[in-house]
Amino acid sequence: MHKLMMGLARTLAIVGGIVLSALILLTCVSILGRLLNGFFHGDFMESVAPGFASWAIGIGIGPVNGDFELVEAGVAFAIFCFLPLCQITAGHASVDILANSFPAVVNRFLRMVTEIVFAAVLLLIMWKLFDGMMSKRSYGETTFLLQFPIWWAYALSFVASLAAAIVGVYMAGVRIIEFLTGRVLVWDGTEASH
């Protein structure tokens, strides 16, 4: 089961990385287009090469239309894609100054409680994303510039949050079994100190 969950988490992280890389490229192209558009509209190019400046502007050199709408939707999706891997590898930030002095059984209990809370929060986020998606779909809301339905972005984020919730519930189950049996089923590096 752990192999399946790890495969799901890694696959989603790869998809999230690809989407995030594409968004970075989109942002760079848009910024470059905005700079070039300003340059071609400037007094210098209008006086030196007005024909070339008009031609460059005419072929569409400028910012990518709706770039911020795509970035907004894509970054939300990418974040939810990274959550399962972060959850299964215990990659969340933690402060264990005090916890390092606790006995192993107390730390196992704290890890179990933390995983249960994370799973509950992930389930809540998934549920609210589903509600938001259905609400946006029923109202037919679209983005301002590109006019694509907003519920599409919610749907993508919902699918990734569903995977995050599944992994979160799995990890909560693992930590409950670990607490009850005293055995470590999934190593994440924090067990070595005890």
Side-chain angles (χ1 to χ4, degrees):
M1 180 66 129
H2 186 70
K3 223 175 179 181
L4 176 69
M5 292 296 156
M6 186 60 91
L8 174 66
R10 284 188 176 144
T11 301
L12 271 174
I14 290 168
V15 170
I18 290 168
V19 168
L20 198 55
S21 297
L23 292 174
I24 291 168
L25 184 62
L26 171 75
T27 302
C28 291
V29 167
S30 189
I31 290 169
L32 181 62
R34 189 171 284 117
L35 288 172
L36 287 174
N37 187 281
F39 177 70
F40 290 136
H41 272 98
D43 292 337
F44 175 73
M45 281 304 288
E46 289 293 332
S47 64
V48 173
F52 179 73
S54 296
W55 172 81
I57 292 168
I59 64 168
I61 292 181
V64 175
N65 188 33
D67 57 345
F68 63 91
E69 293 173 351
L70 295 171
V71 169
E72 183 179 31
V75 167
F77 172 69
I79 288 169
F80 285 112
C81 283
F82 296 135
L83 274 176
L85 186 62
C86 193
Q87 190 68 24
I88 203 164
T89 60
H92 297 291
S94 65
V95 180
D96 347 345
I97 296 170
L98 189 58
N100 286 337
S101 63
F102 294 154
V105 69
V106 173
N107 279 321
R108 276 196 311 272
F109 175 76
L110 290 175
R111 289 175 51 173
M112 176 188 69
V113 170
T114 302
E115 291 290 351
I116 291 170
V117 169
F118 263 118
V121 168
L122 289 171
L123 286 167
L124 178 65
I125 290 170
M126 179 197 67
W127 170 42
K128 294 316 289 176
L129 270 172
F130 181 77
D131 279 353
M133 176 185 70
M134 297 311 286
S135 172
K136 299 293 181 191
R137 187 169 180 226
S138 69
Y139 289 122
E141 220 174 310
T142 61
T143 61
F144 181 69
L145 294 174
L146 296 178
Q147 296 294 307
F148 71 82
I150 291 177
W151 75 267
W152 291 357
Y154 274 80
L156 287 173
S157 294
F158 168 72
V159 169
S161 73
L162 174 64
I166 289 169
V167 171
V169 168
Y170 165 73
M171 286 307 296
V174 165
R175 297 303 179 208
I176 290 169
I177 293 169
E178 286 180 350
F179 176 72
L180 295 175
T181 64
R183 295 179 317 141
V184 176
L185 300 176
V186 177
W187 291 83
D188 61 21
T190 59
E191 300 85 0
S193 61
H194 297 290

